[in-house]
Amino acid sequence: MNQPVRPDVPPSPTPYAAPPHGVVGQSCGRLDGATKTTGAIKYGADLFWGRAELFVKVVRSEHAHAEVKSIITSEARAVDQVMGVYTHNDMPGTNLQGLILRDHEVLTSGRVRYMGDAIALVVAESEATARLGADAVQVEYEPLPVIDSIESALAKDAYPLYKAGNIMGGKRIRKGNVDEALAGAAVVVTESFETQSVDHAFLDLEAGVACYQDDLLTIEAPGQWVHEERRLIALALGLEPEHIRIIQPATGGAFGGREDISIQIYLGLAALKHPGKTIAMRLDRAESVRARHKRHAMRIEYTLGAKSDGSLTAAKVTVYSDEGAYASTGPAVMRKAASHATGPYRVPNVSVDVYGVHTNNNPTGAMRGFGACQMAIAYEGMMDRLAIKLEMDRFDLRIKNLIQSGDEVTTGQHIQVATAVECAEAAMGKFREVNGGLLVQPDEAHLRRGFGMSVICFGLGYGDGFPDCARARVAFDDAGKAVVYTGGVDVGQGLINMVAQVAADELGLQLDNVRVVAADTALTDESGSSSATRQTYFTGNAVKLAAEEVKEELLDIAGAHLQLHPHEIELTSGFARAIHVPGKEIAIKELVAQGKKRGYKLDQQAQFKPGTLCEDFDTGQSPRSFVTYLFGAHVSQVLVDIETGEVKVERHIACHDVGKAINPQAVRGQITGGVAQGIGMALMEEVISKKGRILNGNFTDYILPTIKDVPHVECIVLENTDPGGPFGARGVGEPPLIGAVPAVLGAIQDATGTAPNILPCTPERVWRMLQDGTNA
């Protein structure tokens, strides 16, 4: 029987193929750029002028740990122009705050646990008078023992900071049989690491205004999660949330430092006590540093086992985390540390214990890369030490053990798209473009050159079963312009542009035909916090979903006008165009006008709420700890002066897979900024305190990297589509800092032959390390 001849035809197209991108993927200028560069936009302190009628000053504790025996306010009330002095007795609500555990009193009723604790609030007609009034408040203390370190908190005779003692809680990972695997390992390396407390050091200080009028409390102050702030303020002040409006002013930086409530409740209380008046408050740098939470200082004890060929077999990790006086986001940070204890590596047997330890230091909470940052320092440091012991190339050891797509991380979650190897190869390939990667040592005998590398992963979003969700609304106004409503907060990271580009691309518009309304609880629905590298993935998805619904309406309207099926039409460059009939088109602005006459809403809401699964508390295992994972790799080259201990970063390469770069220029900016912060953490930044008192609470003594300390960052942006992200995007916020620190530390080890294990690597610390011939 003759077989029929198979026709030679191309695959049949469908009308459902994704159209080419419009503005997504373009390096669009910042929508708020002109107002920021000209000074037209208003930050918190700019709201004072012409509005402020009364000013607030907080009386803070003079002791890191004490019982407050009495608060005498009569002399403060007698100060001319002081309008009121308020203590815990004047709080109308719960008087409690805290993101995860509401364990922190707004105004102390009994015991102070760190020097940022607030005792009283003074309201006056000027800032100077408010300060005089605060100085006149008399507080009688009964000092208590100060616990200022993890070691003193864990001592057998340690004074208990809480009834339950000094352990706040813990997290663990249990996978396989670690002790058996270590006993059978060909090579075992052990090390301890100490990471420091770090300040967020954002430039825009806490400042804002509030007014209580017509049964509505309006607060304009910078935060990171306006809807959660409203809930916490409502509880603390005894109000219903619907009687509170939070508006986010322009905000210059956060990095996690605005997640905890700062001045909002104080402004709210003062406004309630003085209805109809506009209340203003701002912190100077010293008070901001004194009051605000910090990055967790951690002590990490790490043991890593491997076969003789370098295959990892086991990791045993114990972490002690300084939680400071209150919980803040400590439980989440501990979980992040536990779940990222082995990073992007395949380790079949894992045991991790993370202990949160209370001290009388500042509360420690969210900061860029929280928990995962400290663990990357440890696991990458261990890979370098293991490579030396195995006499194996550092890069080859990493490539051999990095997870591939389909493999599982420490929590048992299988990763759909794992690009750690691709990131590592791209970063090293870029490094080898100069002299084949071979370093030329300087002629000067006191100088040594070296390079280090890191490969990291990061679980995006809150994860672990937290009901993480973003909501958005997209509508056309009467002028035919698309408006995006989002509760997300832009703290400088570019959220405004991101949501505008997503909406514009979906609706076929130019960027200047999109307007964004953000972070106003009266106008926008909740989008979650601007943290955990989640806004592009979560809010970007919510905006895209809402825009898709509006797009369907536009296509229906265009179909009737053009006498085409909606699938035969595309929206592009401000027009609805027939795909197969050149020249047949109608302006989207005209479509909007037609649609509104025909009764179309052109106003749609959407939410994005992917599920994750809470860990098993005994094992830390979860089949979906995070919605997706991010991967990156860094290579850093340093020059070390062995006579002075000074370290100069000469070259830094950072490769990150972002899924899809919504705005490539913004992505490169995020990478560069993260590297700068990482260099600061590696070499200079450290909050120094003694007996709970911060000794370097200003930018003179708290050393930050300058333009002279940060080289040109060679950014490599990889784009491997994430199946769940908007247009395939993941995000990039935290990973650049996470990857930068261990790469710099590895470079110091390569240059000197001695591995640092205490941060930061200041010149003195590096010099002492070299003199002793031991770790820093």
Side-chain angles (χ1 to χ4, degrees), residues 427-629:
M428 277 303 297
K430 183 72 172 176
F431 180 69
R432 288 169 177 161
E433 288 178 3
V434 178
N435 297 325
L438 298 175
L439 296 183
V440 177
Q441 291 298 332
D443 294 331
E444 297 88 341
H446 65 287
L447 298 178
R448 301 284 188 277
R449 184 170 280 128
F451 78 93
M453 67 188 73
S454 69
V455 190
I456 61 98
C457 68
F458 183 78
L460 181 147
Y462 305 138
D464 290 314
F466 187 92
D468 200 350
C469 179
R471 299 167 181 85
R473 174 186 167 205
V474 175
F476 276 95
D477 62 19
D478 292 337
K481 196 166 191 174
V483 185
V484 180
Y485 296 86
T486 170
V489 171
D490 195 321
V491 291
Q493 83 277 31
L495 177 140
I496 299 297
N497 263 65
M498 182 273 292
V499 297
Q501 287 184 244
V502 168
D505 199 283
E506 194 63 45
L507 296 172
L509 299 172
Q510 298 297 325
L511 197 59
D512 58 4
N513 283 319
V514 180
R515 179 167 61 89
V516 178
V517 176
D520 182 335
T521 58
L523 302 177
T524 63
D525 291 324
E526 181 163 4
S527 294
S529 73
S530 288
S531 64
T533 314
R534 60 178 295 284
Q535 282 294 354
T536 293
Y537 201 91
F538 278 79
T539 295
N541 260 320
V543 170
K544 188 174 187 296
L545 290 169
E548 285 173 351
E549 295 303 304
V550 175
K551 177 181 179 179
E552 291 301 315
E553 292 185 286
L554 288 174
L555 290 173
D556 277 336
I557 300 164
H561 181 90
L562 299 174
Q563 292 298 290
L564 294 169
H565 189 279
H567 292 157
E568 299 172 315
I569 304 169
E570 65 179 1
L571 304 180
T572 178
S573 302
F575 288 85
R577 292 191 169 114
I579 296 173
H580 306 295
V581 185
K584 197 170 187 178
E585 63 185 28
I586 180 174
I588 291 174
K589 188 173 183 179
E590 187 177 338
L591 271 186
V592 172
Q594 283 190 20
K596 293 204 171 186
K597 287 179 182 178
R598 290 165 54 187
Y600 282 84
K601 288 190 345 179
L602 294 172
D603 186 337
Q604 297 290 339
Q605 294 176 293
Q607 70 172 23
F608 179 70
K609 194 174 185 178
T612 55
L613 296 173
C614 183
E615 85 241 44
D616 179 290
F617 293 123
D618 290 326
T619 66
Q621 299 297 289
S622 168
R624 198 185 194 202
S625 293
F626 298 97
V627 293
T628 193
Y629 272 78

Side-chain angles (χ1 to χ4, degrees), residues 215-559:
D215 205 26
L216 179 67
L217 173 60
T218 301
I219 301 174
E220 299 176 67
Q224 285 185 242
W225 189 355
V226 290
H227 288 83
E228 182 66 6
E229 291 159 23
R230 182 173 66 171
R231 283 189 284 267
L232 292 170
I233 293 166
L235 288 169
L237 297 180
L239 297 175
E240 293 84 6
E242 58 268 26
H243 293 293
I244 301 174
R245 180 183 184 184
I246 309 295
I247 303 171
Q248 179 89 6
T251 304
F255 315 115
R258 302 188 195 272
E259 280 216 61
D260 287 330
I261 290 283
S262 62
I263 63 174
Q264 294 94 326
I265 300 178
Y266 305 131
L267 280 168
L269 176 61
L272 290 179
K273 298 298 183 182
H274 301 273
K277 298 289 186 180
T278 297
I279 313 294
M281 179 181 180
R282 59 183 166 188
L283 307 185
D284 59 21
R285 181 66 60 184
E287 186 176 9
S288 175
V289 172
R290 176 181 178 180
R292 191 166 17 88
H293 69 270
K294 312 298 176 196
R295 185 188 291 283
H296 290 74
M298 291 186 178
R299 192 177 78 208
I300 304 166
E301 299 169 359
Y302 211 118
T303 298
L304 187 64
K307 297 179 182 179
S308 57
D309 67 353
S311 300
L312 300 178
T313 59
K316 190 170 188 176
V317 187
T318 303
V319 181
Y320 298 95
S321 174
D322 186 342
E323 302 297 322
Y326 302 102
S328 183
T329 52
V333 174
M334 288 192 294
R335 173 56 179 162
K336 203 83 164 189
S339 63
H340 288 67
T342 57
Y345 298 106
R346 288 188 305 273
V347 188
N349 302 281
V350 181
S351 173
V352 182
D353 287 295
V354 182
Y355 300 99
V357 182
H358 276 306
T359 66
N360 292 122
N361 295 322
N362 281 56
T364 49
M367 187 173 181
R368 195 175 191 175
F370 69 0
C373 171
Q374 295 92 322
M375 298 313 297
I377 292 165
Y379 63 69
E380 285 299 88
M382 295 305 291
M383 292 299 285
D384 284 341
R385 288 158 175 78
L386 182 63
I388 291 171
K389 195 158 187 178
L390 286 167
E391 297 182 348
M392 189 173 179
D393 181 82
R394 292 172 288 167
F395 179 72
D396 292 343
L397 178 64
R398 285 170 166 83
I399 295 296
K400 184 179 187 65
N401 289 286
L402 288 171
I403 64 171
Q404 308 273 356
S405 296
D407 287 344
E408 63 177 40
V409 287
T410 295
T411 60
Q413 178 174 348
H414 290 267
I415 308 303
Q416 286 181 284
V417 182
T419 57
V421 171
E422 189 174 346
C423 290
E425 290 177 340
M428 277 303 297
K430 183 72 172 176
F431 180 69
R432 288 169 177 161
E433 288 178 3
V434 178
N435 297 325
L438 298 175
L439 296 183
V440 177
Q441 291 298 332
D443 294 331
E444 297 88 341
H446 65 287
L447 298 178
R448 301 284 188 277
R449 184 170 280 128
F451 78 93
M453 67 188 73
S454 69
V455 190
I456 61 98
C457 68
F458 183 78
L460 181 147
Y462 305 138
D464 290 314
F466 187 92
D468 200 350
C469 179
R471 299 167 181 85
R473 174 186 167 205
V474 175
F476 276 95
D477 62 19
D478 292 337
K481 196 166 191 174
V483 185
V484 180
Y485 296 86
T486 170
V489 171
D490 195 321
V491 291
Q493 83 277 31
L495 177 140
I496 299 297
N497 263 65
M498 182 273 292
V499 297
Q501 287 184 244
V502 168
D505 199 283
E506 194 63 45
L507 296 172
L509 299 172
Q510 298 297 325
L511 197 59
D512 58 4
N513 283 319
V514 180
R515 179 167 61 89
V516 178
V517 176
D520 182 335
T521 58
L523 302 177
T524 63
D525 291 324
E526 181 163 4
S527 294
S529 73
S530 288
S531 64
T533 314
R534 60 178 295 284
Q535 282 294 354
T536 293
Y537 201 91
F538 278 79
T539 295
N541 260 320
V543 170
K544 188 174 187 296
L545 290 169
E548 285 173 351
E549 295 303 304
V550 175
K551 177 181 179 179
E552 291 301 315
E553 292 185 286
L554 288 174
L555 290 173
D556 277 336
I557 300 164

Side-chain angles (χ1 to χ4, degrees), residues 649 652 674-684 705 709-711 740-741 744:
V649 180
H652 198 100
V675 170
Q677 283 188 304
I679 289 173
M681 184 173 178
L683 300 181
M684 59 197 72
D709 301 303
V710 181
V741 185
V744 172

Side-chain angles (χ1 to χ4, degrees), residues 709-721:
D709 301 303
V710 181
H712 167 70
V713 179
E714 301 169 58
C715 300
I716 304 172
V717 179
L718 299 185
E719 294 182 298
N720 290 282
T721 298

Side-chain angles (χ1 to χ4, degrees), residues 57-71 108 110-120 131 133-146 286-287 290-291 326 360 362 690-695:
K57 182 68 178 175
V58 174
V59 178
R60 300 192 185 273
S61 175
E62 291 302 319
H63 293 266
H65 193 202
E67 291 288 346
V68 176
K69 307 304 292 182
S70 67
I71 307 171
T108 302
R111 184 185 294 195
V112 291
R113 290 185 170 88
Y114 85 114
M115 294 194 70
D117 267 328
I119 294 173
R131 191 173 295 108
D135 291 342
V137 173
Q138 300 172 39
V139 184
E140 180 186 357
Y141 299 95
E142 181 183 319
L144 296 171
V146 174
E287 186 176 9
R290 176 181 178 180
Y326 302 102
N360 292 122
N362 281 56
K690 184 176 182 180
K691 291 297 181 182
R693 183 182 298 273
I694 293 176
L695 304 180

